[in-house]
Amino acid sequence: MRKYIVAGNWKMNGTLEETQILASEVVNMYNDEVNNGVVAVLCPPFIGIAEVLRLTRGSEVKAGAQNCHQELSGAFTGEVSAPILASFGVNYVIIGHSERREYFGEENALLAKKVDQAQANQLIPIYCCGETLSQREGGAHFQVIEQQVKEGLFHLNAEKLQQTVIAYEPVWAIGTGKTASAEQAQEIHAFIRSLIAITYGSDVADSISILYGGSVKPTNAAELFAMADIDGGLIGGAALKSRDFIDICKAVPA
Ligand code: 13P
């Protein structure tokens, strides 16, 4: 179901103490200040998830993982499976973040399997796509996004596709302080929705949340979230500060 979602991707940040402070501050501030119905999701490193779950219990704030393995279980040292995440009470899992694609060689075909495994275990995948700077400068961004979205998600039937969240994160805007303009982001979000509409129909396309990620801050969030096809954000650096993360949550239209 299409709804506004603001997910914090903590990446490789969060000692035990930092995790406890950040998660409890977010819960308290969300309860006190946020009343626009936005779904807030905290995605710490795997080891921090249990603590985030403990601290968010009974609140509207959800927990997510940054990755999961494509297999159900087995001899995959260092990996975490979707059933393990689900058993702990995780709701969301980021799949195909550009850092996973770049540094860990994750490609669309593998990501499609991760999406399946997540869904088979009742986790909601947040499937990421996004072009690099050279791809954009070479005019290849639409083609890159189309391939990432189709190869990662279009094997799903309509019902399963509707149970996913998509995140558009232009690689050149991640951690660079250089955000896509609201118009640039809207253009790609509308394009992703049109791809879905062509294959699955507009009802399905209109029911999927498409998040924007890449240097979202309290100062630019409202403008981005006001665009017709931007349904929230996937937040990196600013998600490590409770004040900024909550202000971004509050930038969602009521
Ligand atoms: P920044 O918000 O730090 O640019 O990171 C975005 C991101 O990669 C979220 O997944």
Side-chain angles (χ1 to χ4, degrees), residues 7 9 11 94 97-99 128 169 173-177 213-216 234-238:
N9 174 9
K11 307 193 180 184
I94 299 169
H97 190 280
S98 61
E99 288 150 18
C128 301
E169 297 204 308
I174 295 177
T176 57
S215 298
V216 179
L234 184 54
I235 321 300

Side-chain angles (χ1 to χ4, degrees), residues 152-241:
L153 293 177
F154 275 29
H155 62 290
L156 300 174
N157 65 27
E159 190 194 345
K160 289 287 186 197
L161 189 74
Q162 285 178 292
Q163 292 160 9
T164 67
V165 173
I166 298 173
Y168 168 57
E169 297 204 308
V171 177
W172 48 271
I174 295 177
T176 57
K178 190 172 156 189
T179 183
S181 69
E183 290 73 25
Q184 279 174 321
Q186 165 61 25
E187 182 182 38
I188 299 290
H189 283 232
F191 173 66
I192 294 170
R193 215 179 290 286
S194 76
L195 292 174
I196 299 168
I198 290 164
T199 304
Y200 293 90
S202 54
D203 285 355
V204 174
D206 287 340
S207 72
I208 294 178
S209 299
I210 307 178
L211 317 184
Y212 169 77
S215 298
V216 179
K217 300 179 200 70
T219 46
N220 59 22
E223 192 189 354
L224 288 159
F225 299 166
M227 302 310 278
D229 290 292
I230 302 183
D231 307 308
L234 184 54
I235 321 300
L240 298 174
K241 296 183 191 132

